[in-house]
Amino acid sequence: MNKVKVSTEKGNSRILSLLAQLEKINSESALQDVDNARYVTSKLLHLAQTQERTKKDITAKGSTGVEVILSTLENTRDLQTILNILNILHELVSVGGGRRCGILVSKGGSQILLQLLFNASKDSPPNEEVMVQLHSILAKIGPKDKKFGVKARINGALGITLSLVKQNLQNFKLILPCLQLLRVYSSNAVNAVSLGKNGVVELMFKIIGPFNRKNTSLIKVSLDTLAALLKSKTNARRSVDRGYLPVLLTIYIDWHRHDARHRHMLIRKGILNCIKNITGIKLGRKAFVDAEGMKVLYNTSQDCLSVRTLDPLVNISSLIMRKCFPKNRLPIPTIKSVYHFQLPVIPTSGPVAQLYNLAPEVDDVVDESDDADDTEVETDNENEDEEKDENKKNDDIETDINKLKPVHDLGRLIEELEVYKQFFPELTEDFQAYNLSAKSNTTVSRSDKRAGPIIVPTAGEELSSERSVIKAIVKENDTPKSHRILPNVYQGAGQDHQLPTHIDLQNNEESKNSVNSRYSKQNGHTSTQCLNNEIAKSLDGMSLHCNNASDNVKCWNSGCVSGIENKPSFLTLGEACSKTCQQLSGCGKSLFVSSFGQPPSWQQVGTQLGQLCCSGIDTDAEDESSLSSSEEPGFPELLEPGVLQPLHDPDLYVEIVKKTKSVPEYSEVAYPDYFGHIPPPFKEPLIERPYGVQRTKIFQDIERLIHANDIIDKIVYDLDFLSYPVSEDGETLRFNSQFESGNLRKAIQIRKFEYDLILNSDINSNHHHQWFYFEVSGMRNAVSYRFNIINCEKSNSQFNYGMHPIMYSVQEAMLGRPQWIRTGADICYYKNHFSRSSIAAGGLKGKSYYTLTFTMTFPHKDDVCYFAYHYPYTYSTLQMHIQKLEALHDPQQIYFRQDSICETLGGNPCPVLTITSIPESKCWEHLYQFRNRPYIFLTSRVHPGESNSSWVMKGTLEFLMSNNLTAQSLRDSYIFKIVPMLNPDGVINGSHRCSLSGEDLNRQWLTPNPELHPTIYHTKGLLQYLASIQHTPLVFCDYHGHSRKKNVFMYGCSIKETVWQTDVSASSCDLQEDLGYRTLPKVLNQIAPAFCMSSCSFVVEKSKESTARVVVWREVGVTRSYTMESTYCGCDQGKYKGQQIGTRELEEMGAKFCISLLRLKRLTSVECRLPPSLLDVENDLIDTRCNVTSPTTQVLEEDEPRCLEEIDYSAESSDEQDIDLNETADFDAQFFDPSTQEEQLSDSDVPKRDFFL
């Protein structure tokens, strides 16, 4: 006999004695000492009822009190002893008994109590008190036992409890615990079906009924039991067949009307839960609509909106209505892209092959699977799906050690790789015939294979017969340099001029998201200062080039508004221009300068490239006194040094656009790309949306069905039918997306100030709807417009967690603020009622699209505004920046070379850049050092929609080309081989993820096809060539963007960390691995404010085996092979915590990456021992077992998305935080002076779950 154990603290001797006596009684045969057993158990019951300490001692860790009590219950046959013990157990689990219930289950309490229930049922009649206590205890401990449903079914408990309920409908004391236990039984699907067949559903409807103040507790428990039963599809069908759904609606209306003081909210909630479960099947949804359930719940919800405590009712009603909202067809003829590109080779398998093999008559927008009865809409609480996804993700981690070990297999013959020798002239350059001072600037060739108009839109009112754009006819011959001028924003300098008048803008609460109000706070503008219609009309007169113009360069006035022509003027290339181009008097600093007309000015600003986000020009000739006479505050008053644009040249940009080849053959230039972008001088915080916004938006969508006559449903823009008439009523917005990187397929006016927008899929694909970039014009000011992008595919988005879309206002640009800014109000992202076919959902059935909705109040009337998912960075912008960098660099200091690695499928060159420093001399020692510098290989923009990666790359390029001492040291230390845009075609044509082949290029690195994936094939060839000549890069990094996580972080490759995330038994000593892969992220975590080490992962997944990171690590042998992910949203830690990320911060990240490389050199040099903290992997390993999350974040029961901020191994670009930046002119002082080091970011910031209802 084991000695009884309880807590040994003072005061427990009595309990110890009683339990010892009870155990002694148990050891006697047949418990003959009945009186003693009664006495001991009664004493224990008394102590449990009067002393909380007794309950704690009995269930304390290490105590055997529970085993003794259960053993006594199992062996005794005495009724009083049984009742005493049941009362003791009831006391143990009554208050705060969650842990104690678990202890009872772990000690076998469930089985003992179920067996006692079976034995007690044999008595005729059964003892009521025993049955009440048994059912009460089982109802509490049942949810803690995962096998409780099976145990209850095996022991025949279901029939016993059901029989008691049927026989005692008027005995409320007994029936209440029985119903509670039935609810627990029903959590098991098999039990629920069995109970349904035995008439439990009908039995519940006998108990529940219209409003009644009596027996409300019984009604509530009955409703909860019924809701649990109706989760079974069989029971739900039975309820529909017997007409119970209209009955439930009637009961709900009755309780809603009579419960004026809201005292019975839980009963109303229970009724709604029953309706929700019935509508989980198609038959139930149809019955709900037929019974006018939409109107019933909509009207009752409107009554509840004003009472905050009734939010659960509103939320469940919203879920039911959205679920039952008839699934609509997306209003497009096909889900395939509007644009078609014929591939040279058709893949034999995969999504692209299926797309090409799809019969023309097949309707790919909807299919029969959406109406199948067994196809269920995604569950409202998708935790189950989330668990499945998590398990899938854990299974995705590679466990085969042989596959994890690098193979260093080039996969191609050395002779084949010799073709790439031409891209590495630096390895053989002897500089004997190299004239360092004779390097000429690169200019743009004017020749183009196709002639056509290049159109630049204007901010004026559109003419009745054509868009408010001007056409510059492209000629085959070059325009003389003397005749090239800047964009003449204000034509007619010699004519009558007028200053801007002021229009009062309505400043109400509805315009809280107004861009104008933000500028007025930051820049000293009043809310009434804006351009009027006449000025807007004058913007029609913008010319790109004018023949016979004066040699004087006309500036774009950013300091004042003058030289405005009242009538629009259209100038074309080749047409004589009678207007004189003069320097406008009274202008502030000019924003753009033509490199053709004024090359010396660009040479003068070369030194400014050392500043991050540098964009300055020569402005010494400007007269600052002219600013005082300007009524409109000028740009020079807004900007600090180093924020102008030395790499932007509108004329050069247009010339490059003419040579860029697109599938739609774009002939227009978007204003933001033409004018350029300067980061705003103010912070842009992550703003939580106001309470109830998403619910309000959803109810507005539901009103479309209830009040269908109020919907306009007017098509205002359609790429499928460009000949569709455009409204000129002055009340309708006008849209456009026919320019480089543009994406908007269709716009439909729903209400007067509300528009549904549909995005175009990637070419040769039928999905990937995320990137958008479009133009809006014809708006009113001080009016709230709602925009709904209705065919998003991801189940969650950072738009739910503070991220805003961005907007560019042309009129603001004319006022000296050419800026993309975060904008919009009432932003939310949720599942809508548009159905996705199984073809569109990758074979999955019953899926829905998602809506991104935001409200915008425009500050100016008749403006031209642009909206985008993220800061656009076009292919032509990249080419312009490369040419300006080449023209500005000092050839005596910097070795810069641009080559085209290949032509893309669309016929566009893919540039590869080489950057290093010129050797100090031509002597052998210096040449040897030059040729043996380690390589740093960088790539970017393999996914077109990840424009943030291009801004990071821009920061890297500008820093490397600067005269900063740190940059000089980097060039002296490394040779940088950079492919800044791996997917030019996708960027040009406005795709989000794919190239023209319709495939994700970052999944083609294992076996790239030279015809379908030329940029990947040849970039991999460059890396393979370097490996073949023993010049394997020291670092490879592929820049990406991430749509579902904040901050900037890295993915790397590690065998150990991958194995540690699995159950594979491999000791650390069995795996030999260079731990240097963690050094670079560690350094970045110290010096880059936006970088977050805790979000980094070094796990290798099966699904990523064909990505650049893994292939370069495994095949080429680069230990430090990374993907660097930059958020679209913002930061939740460090210096930029709570701010949205902008181009300034992204460019800063690119520069900080360069600086980390110099740190890497110092830390890994022979003279310098690596600090142990940088390689302490096992102590600093990210606990991905805890942090791993689903790749597709699901929606909670309240229909609010869960915040996905944890590490997501499957999210590496498989989308398959604004910032007061300090002066950074001197990186050496900033990053190498310990006193000015940024504080190390905390890895312990734990994001909170967001609830916004």
Side-chain angles (χ1 to χ4, degrees):
M1 180 178 66
N2 296 329
K3 188 174 181 180
V4 176
K5 297 179 181 179
V6 295
S7 177
T8 59
E9 295 183 12
K10 184 178 180 179
N12 295 327
S13 58
R14 189 174 184 186
I15 300 174
L16 180 62
S17 174
L18 291 172
L19 289 174
Q21 294 180 50
L22 192 59
E23 186 174 22
K24 182 180 179 181
I25 296 171
N26 289 340
S27 63
E28 298 176 0
S29 60
L31 288 175
Q32 295 177 357
D33 195 355
V34 175
D35 292 336
N36 196 18
R38 291 179 180 177
Y39 173 78
V40 173
T41 54
S42 64
K43 287 294 184 181
L44 283 173
L45 174 60
H46 175 72
L47 290 174
Q49 290 174 337
T50 59
Q51 298 181 14
E52 179 65 26
R53 180 64 177 272
T54 301
K55 292 183 281 189
K56 291 182 179 180
D57 291 339
I58 293 175
T59 58
K61 185 176 180 181
S63 172
T64 58
V66 174
E67 290 100 316
V68 172
I69 293 173
L70 288 175
S71 176
T72 306
L73 180 63
E74 185 178 18
N75 296 324
T76 186
R77 295 294 180 266
D78 179 60
L79 178 61
Q80 188 60 48
T81 303
I82 292 174
L83 286 173
N84 288 342
I85 296 177
L86 289 177
N87 280 293
I88 293 172
L89 296 178
H90 188 270
E91 288 293 331
L92 292 179
V93 301
S94 58
V95 180
R99 185 186 68 85
R100 297 169 188 168
C101 290
I103 293 175
L104 281 177
V105 171
S106 66
K107 304 300 183 181
S110 300
Q111 184 62 42
I112 293 173
L113 291 170
L114 287 170
Q115 184 63 44
L116 180 60
L117 176 64
F118 176 77
N119 295 334
S121 66
K122 295 180 179 179
D123 297 337
S124 181
N127 185 277
E128 181 178 326
E129 185 65 25
V130 171
M131 287 300 179
V132 169
Q133 293 294 345
L134 272 174
H135 282 81
S136 297
I137 298 171
L138 286 170
K140 289 183 179 296
I141 71 171
K144 295 291 183 179
D145 190 347
K146 295 181 180 180
K147 300 293 184 180
F148 184 78
V150 177
K151 294 176 182 178
R153 188 167 62 251
I154 293 175
N155 284 275
L158 276 66
I160 296 171
T161 303
L162 181 57
S163 177
L164 284 174
V165 174
K166 290 181 178 180
Q167 295 172 11
N168 298 275
L169 285 177
Q170 303 303 319
N171 187 345
F172 298 141
K173 178 182 177 181
L174 176 59
I175 196 175
L176 185 61
C178 291
L179 290 176
Q180 291 173 338
L181 187 54
L182 281 176
R183 180 180 58 190
V184 178
Y185 292 157
S186 301
S187 61
N188 180 281
V190 177
N191 290 348
V193 173
S194 176
L195 289 171
K197 291 180 179 179
N198 286 278
V200 178
V201 174
E202 294 80 359
L203 187 61
M204 293 302 102
F205 276 96
K206 293 181 180 180
I207 300 175
I208 64 175
F211 178 79
N212 187 351
R213 290 186 173 88
K214 297 180 180 179
N215 303 320
T216 54
S217 298
L218 183 63
I219 294 175
K220 180 190 176 302
V221 173
S222 300
L223 287 168
D224 292 342
T225 305
L226 180 60
L229 289 166
L230 292 175
K231 288 183 178 180
S232 163
K233 294 180 182 179
T234 302
N235 292 335
R237 292 190 188 97
R238 180 179 290 107
S239 298
V240 174
D241 292 340
R242 303 197 176 188
Y244 287 147
L245 197 144
V247 173
L248 285 172
L249 286 172
T250 302
I251 294 174
Y252 182 72
I253 293 173
D254 189 66
W255 279 91
H256 175 78
R257 289 175 179 173
H258 291 88
D259 188 21
R261 297 186 179 182
H262 314 302
R263 294 178 177 177
H264 306 294
M265 189 266 288
L266 293 179
I267 292 179
R268 294 156 67 181
K269 181 180 178 181
I271 300 172
L272 289 176
N273 281 327
C274 293
I275 297 173
K276 182 183 71 172
N277 292 340
I278 292 179
T279 54
I281 61 173
K282 178 189 172 185
L283 193 63
R285 293 191 289 274
K286 183 177 183 302
F288 178 82
V289 174
D290 292 343
E292 296 188 344
M294 297 289 285
K295 290 184 179 180
V296 170
L297 295 192
Y298 177 82
N299 293 331
T300 55
S301 297
Q302 296 302 308
D303 297 338
C304 297
L305 287 175
S306 59
V307 183
R308 189 77 172 259
T309 57
L310 298 182
D311 279 355
L313 303 182
V314 179
N315 296 338
I316 300 175
S317 297
S318 171
L319 284 175
I320 297 171
M321 288 186 286
R322 291 177 61 198
K323 185 191 302 183
C324 298
F325 201 112
K327 286 295 179 182
N328 290 355
R329 173 196 175 98
L330 204 63
I332 51 178
T334 175
I335 57 174
K336 293 183 289 188
S337 173
V338 173
Y339 307 121
H340 175 71
F341 180 84
Q342 183 62 41
L343 296 177
V345 178
I346 308 299
T348 57
S349 61
V352 179
Q354 295 175 6
L355 201 68
Y356 272 82
N357 294 330
L358 195 65
E361 65 274 8
V362 174
D363 185 356
D364 59 355
V365 181
V366 295
D367 55 30
E368 294 180 358
S369 66
D370 294 325
D371 297 325
D373 189 36
D374 58 348
T375 299
E376 299 299 322
V377 178
E378 293 170 278
T379 57
D380 306 310
N381 188 342
E382 295 168 343
N383 291 333
E384 181 179 351
D385 294 335
E386 186 173 333
E387 291 174 3
K388 293 179 182 178
D389 290 332
E390 182 173 340
N391 293 333
K392 184 183 298 183
K393 176 168 39 287
N394 291 333
D395 294 340
D396 188 39
I397 298 177
E398 184 59 73
T399 58
D400 189 339
I401 301 297
N402 294 325
K403 291 184 178 181
L404 286 173
K405 292 180 179 179
V407 294
H408 298 177
D409 180 15
L410 298 180
R412 297 168 68 177
L413 298 176
I414 301 296
E415 294 76 11
E416 293 182 20
L417 296 174
E418 282 296 316
V419 69
Y420 298 107
K421 184 177 181 180
Q422 60 180 307
F423 296 102
F424 299 92
E426 64 272 10
L427 296 179
T428 56
E429 180 65 67
D430 57 10
F431 295 94
Q432 296 303 316
Y434 194 81
N435 187 351
L436 298 180
S437 61
K439 191 174 180 66
S440 60
N441 293 340
T442 302
T443 58
V444 180
S445 172
R446 299 294 196 274
S447 62
D448 190 8
K449 296 180 181 179
R450 58 179 179 85
I454 295 295
I455 303 174
V456 179
T458 68
E461 293 182 340
E462 301 188 13
L463 302 180
S464 59
S465 60
E466 55 183 321
R467 294 174 42 78
S468 64
V469 296
I470 68 168
K471 298 185 178 181
I473 305 301
V474 181
K475 296 295 183 181
E476 293 294 333
N477 58 325
D478 291 356
T479 305
K481 290 184 179 181
S482 61
H483 292 168
R484 300 190 193 102
I485 66 169
L486 288 176
N488 189 2
V489 177
Y490 308 110
Q491 292 290 343
Q495 301 181 12
D496 295 336
H497 300 175
Q498 63 182 15
L499 292 175
T501 59
H502 304 295
I503 299 177
D504 290 337
L505 298 181
Q506 297 178 8
N507 186 13
N508 51 35
E509 293 182 357
E510 293 182 355
S511 61
K512 56 190 174 184
N513 65 324
S514 170
V515 180
N516 192 55
S517 63
R518 182 181 298 179
Y519 279 118
S520 65
K521 292 179 181 179
Q522 300 291 338
N523 304 328
H525 292 250
T526 64
S527 61
T528 59
Q529 291 175 318
C530 64
L531 294 181
N532 62 6
N533 288 341
E534 292 301 320
I535 296 177
K537 291 180 181 178
S538 71
L539 297 179
D540 284 332
M542 172 180 286
S543 66
L544 301 182
H545 304 289
C546 299
N547 288 341
N548 301 326
S550 168
D551 289 341
N552 294 330
V553 178
K554 185 171 183 178
C555 76
W556 171 50
N557 176 17
S558 60
C560 61
V561 180
S562 60
I564 299 173
E565 180 183 83
N566 292 327
K567 297 181 180 180
S569 172
F570 296 88
L571 301 175
T572 59
L573 290 177
E575 177 184 357
C577 177
S578 60
K579 296 182 175 64
T580 350
C581 300
Q582 302 175 354
Q583 186 88 10
L584 292 181
S585 60
C587 287
K589 297 182 181 180
S590 67
L591 182 60
F592 302 117
V593 177
S594 171
S595 61
F596 302 120
Q598 299 286 333
S601 66
W602 290 107
Q603 296 294 340
Q604 294 173 8
V605 300
T607 58
Q608 298 186 25
L609 286 174
Q611 303 178 11
L612 185 61
C613 301
C614 50
S615 24
I617 60 174
D618 183 25
T619 57
D620 294 337
E622 300 299 330
D623 183 7
E624 295 181 1
S625 63
S626 63
L627 299 177
S628 59
S629 62
S630 172
E631 294 188 16
E632 186 72 16
F635 208 39
E637 297 178 1
L638 306 178
L639 297 181
E640 298 178 0
V643 292
L644 296 179
Q645 307 180 86
L647 299 187
H648 192 86
D649 182 352
D651 291 343
L652 177 58
Y653 182 82
V654 172
E655 292 298 328
I656 293 173
V657 169
K658 296 174 185 176
K659 301 177 65 177
T660 299
K661 300 176 181 178
S662 62
V663 174
E665 298 186 352
Y666 294 131
S667 60
E668 301 180 21
V669 175
Y671 257 112
D673 305 323
Y674 180 78
F675 279 164
H677 158 72
I678 297 175
F682 48 81
K683 297 179 181 180
E684 296 178 295
L686 294 166
I687 302 177
E688 292 187 0
R689 65 180 182 227
Y691 175 84
V693 165
Q694 177 166 308
R695 183 175 61 195
T696 301
K697 299 291 185 182
I698 292 171
F699 277 119
Q700 290 176 2
D701 291 347
I702 294 171
E703 288 173 3
R704 298 189 188 190
L705 178 66
I706 298 175
H707 306 296
N709 294 333
D710 297 339
I711 302 304
I712 299 175
D713 199 24
K714 174 183 177 183
I715 298 175
V716 297
Y717 179 73
D718 193 349
L719 282 183
D720 290 283
F721 305 98
L722 287 175
S723 59
Y724 203 89
V726 178
S727 175
E728 298 291 343
D729 57 6
E731 297 291 330
T732 304
L733 293 180
R734 294 178 289 276
F735 295 84
N736 181 36
S737 62
Q738 298 179 74
F739 45 79
E740 187 173 348
S741 294
N743 190 321
L744 177 66
R745 179 171 187 163
K746 193 170 187 177
I748 304 171
Q749 185 177 18
I750 300 300
R751 299 179 178 94
K752 187 175 182 179
F753 301 114
E754 180 179 355
Y755 295 82
D756 278 357
L757 309 178
I758 301 175
L759 304 181
N760 193 24
S761 60
D762 290 3
I763 294 176
N764 279 319
S765 172
N766 56 19
H767 54 123
H768 301 304
H769 305 106
Q770 184 167 331
W771 171 259
F772 58 86
Y773 182 17
F774 58 88
E775 168 196 305
V776 180
S777 59
M779 67 284 292
R780 298 182 184 181
N781 62 321
V783 171
S784 294
Y785 290 87
R786 177 181 172 184
F787 298 99
N788 311 307
I789 298 177
I790 62 174
N791 64 330
C792 302
E793 295 174 324
K794 292 182 178 299
S795 60
N796 203 357
S797 170
Q798 283 291 324
F799 283 115
N800 279 324
Y801 310 112
M803 177 175 163
H804 287 193
I806 61 172
M807 189 197 76
Y808 192 105
S809 165
V810 174
Q811 289 201 27
E812 286 293 327
M814 294 301 182
L815 292 173
R817 295 180 287 272
Q819 301 164 344
W820 283 105
I821 64 168
R822 301 279 188 169
T823 191
D826 298 344
I827 303 169
C828 51
Y829 187 95
Y830 56 88
K831 184 165 57 178
N832 61 32
H833 57 276
F834 290 102
S835 178
R836 296 168 63 186
S837 67
S838 60
I839 299 174
L844 300 176
K845 299 179 179 181
K847 297 292 182 180
S848 296
Y849 285 104
Y850 290 78
T851 291
L852 163 63
T853 180
F854 60 93
T855 301
M856 182 63 205
T857 302
F858 297 97
H860 304 294
K861 182 181 180 181
D862 295 321
D863 197 357
V864 175
C865 294
Y866 292 80
F867 290 97
Y869 181 79
H870 198 68
Y871 304 93
Y873 191 100
T874 66
Y875 171 77
S876 298
T877 298
L878 171 67
Q879 294 284 36
M880 174 185 66
H881 285 165
I882 292 175
Q883 294 194 36
K884 298 305 297 184
L885 285 171
E886 185 170 11
L888 291 171
H889 88 283
D890 183 358
Q892 296 181 353
Q893 298 290 330
I894 303 176
Y895 181 95
F896 179 88
R897 179 182 174 90
Q898 177 189 178
D899 297 287
S900 176
I901 190 176
C902 64
E903 272 200 353
T904 65
L905 285 173
N908 296 289
C910 179
V912 56
L913 310 178
T914 306
I915 302 175
T916 187
S917 64
I918 299 294
E920 294 183 21
S921 69
K922 300 177 184 178
C923 69
W924 182 86
E925 292 84 356
H926 291 155
L927 289 178
Y928 179 82
Q929 189 275 342
F930 176 84
R931 295 170 184 170
N932 285 276
R933 294 171 183 170
Y935 273 89
I936 305 294
F937 205 108
L938 306 178
T939 60
S940 181
R941 205 67 182 278
V942 70
H943 296 140
E946 296 171 5
S947 59
N948 42 4
S949 66
S950 282
W951 288 101
V952 176
M953 180 60 76
K954 179 177 181 286
T956 294
L957 293 175
E958 288 191 26
F959 184 78
L960 290 177
M961 295 295 289
S962 71
N963 60 0
N964 184 276
L965 295 179
T966 305
Q968 179 63 43
S969 179
L970 276 170
R971 294 192 296 267
D972 292 341
S973 304
Y974 301 114
I975 299 175
F976 289 86
K977 193 68 69 171
I978 302 174
V979 184
M981 192 171 285
L982 283 168
N983 193 348
D985 290 339
V987 174
I988 293 168
N989 293 287
S991 297
H992 173 68
R993 191 164 186 83
C994 301
S995 68
L996 292 183
S997 69
E999 297 169 297
D1000 181 350
L1001 291 183
N1002 200 37
R1003 296 298 185 275
Q1004 311 304 323
W1005 279 79
L1006 265 181
T1007 55
N1009 186 305
E1011 294 184 87
L1012 294 177
H1013 326 116
T1015 60
I1016 304 301
Y1017 180 84
H1018 294 294
T1019 301
K1020 184 178 180 180
L1022 295 180
L1023 289 158
Q1024 291 171 323
Y1025 176 76
L1026 285 174
S1028 70
I1029 61 173
Q1030 308 305 314
H1031 270 293
T1032 301
L1034 176 67
V1035 172
F1036 170 83
C1037 190
D1038 189 17
Y1039 292 179
H1040 281 256
H1042 206 288
S1043 69
R1044 289 199 264 189
K1045 293 175 66 176
K1046 292 183 171 67
N1047 311 308
V1048 181
F1049 51 93
M1050 278 181 161
Y1051 292 114
C1053 301
S1054 166
I1055 300 176
K1056 279 191 174 183
E1057 298 200 31
T1058 302
V1059 171
W1060 288 339
Q1061 302 308 316
T1062 67
D1063 296 327
V1064 176
S1065 57
S1067 60
S1068 298
C1069 59
D1070 296 335
L1071 300 175
Q1072 300 299 323
E1073 184 175 36
D1074 180 3
L1075 304 182
Y1077 63 88
R1078 268 184 164 259
T1079 306
L1080 196 62
K1082 282 278 192 177
V1083 174
L1084 281 171
N1085 193 53
Q1086 294 174 356
I1087 68 173
F1091 195 86
C1092 181
M1093 186 69 187
S1094 64
S1095 293
C1096 296
S1097 167
F1098 305 95
V1099 173
V1100 179
E1101 307 93 336
K1102 298 175 185 177
S1103 61
K1104 304 299 189 302
E1105 63 178 3
S1106 58
T1107 61
R1109 165 179 64 100
V1110 178
V1111 171
V1112 173
W1113 168 71
R1114 190 165 186 265
E1115 294 186 6
V1116 183
V1118 180
T1119 301
R1120 297 176 177 86
S1121 179
Y1122 306 102
T1123 297
M1124 187 164 74
E1125 302 273 1
S1126 299
T1127 179
Y1128 288 104
C1129 181
C1131 298
D1132 59 11
Q1133 50 78 52
K1135 177 182 176 182
Y1136 299 146
K1137 182 176 181 178
Q1139 299 179 24
Q1140 297 191 73
I1141 203 162
T1143 57
R1144 181 188 290 112
E1145 294 71 50
L1146 292 169
E1147 292 185 52
E1148 179 196 47
M1149 189 65 232
K1152 295 293 181 71
F1153 178 84
C1154 297
I1155 296 169
S1156 70
L1157 294 172
L1158 192 59
R1159 292 283 191 90
L1160 178 66
K1161 177 194 174 186
R1162 294 166 55 192
L1163 292 170
T1164 56
S1165 62
V1166 178
E1167 303 85 10
C1168 179
R1169 295 187 63 184
L1170 200 62
S1173 61
L1174 291 176
L1175 293 180
D1176 191 4
V1177 180
E1178 299 196 22
N1179 293 334
D1180 194 48
L1181 178 63
I1182 302 170
D1183 187 6
T1184 50
R1185 289 184 185 272
C1186 299
N1187 292 338
V1188 71
T1189 55
S1190 169
T1192 54
T1193 305
Q1194 307 296 348
V1195 184
L1196 297 182
E1197 186 174 358
E1198 292 84 356
D1199 199 50
E1200 284 294 340
R1202 188 158 79 174
C1203 185
L1204 178 63
E1205 307 292 2
E1206 303 91 354
I1207 295 172
D1208 185 352
Y1209 290 132
S1210 67
E1212 176 190 343
S1213 294
S1214 64
D1215 309 331
E1216 98 53 85
Q1217 260 173 338
D1218 211 277
I1219 316 316
D1220 185 14
L1221 186 65
N1222 296 327
E1223 292 294 328
T1224 54
D1226 188 354
F1227 276 106
D1228 295 297
Q1230 181 178 357
F1231 296 110
F1232 294 96
D1233 183 359
S1235 64
T1236 59
Q1237 285 281 348
E1238 292 93 332
E1239 62 176 351
Q1240 185 168 353
L1241 305 184
S1242 170
D1243 293 345
S1244 61
D1245 292 335
V1246 180
K1248 297 180 180 179
R1249 181 173 296 178
D1250 296 325
F1251 292 99
F1252 293 117
L1253 279 178

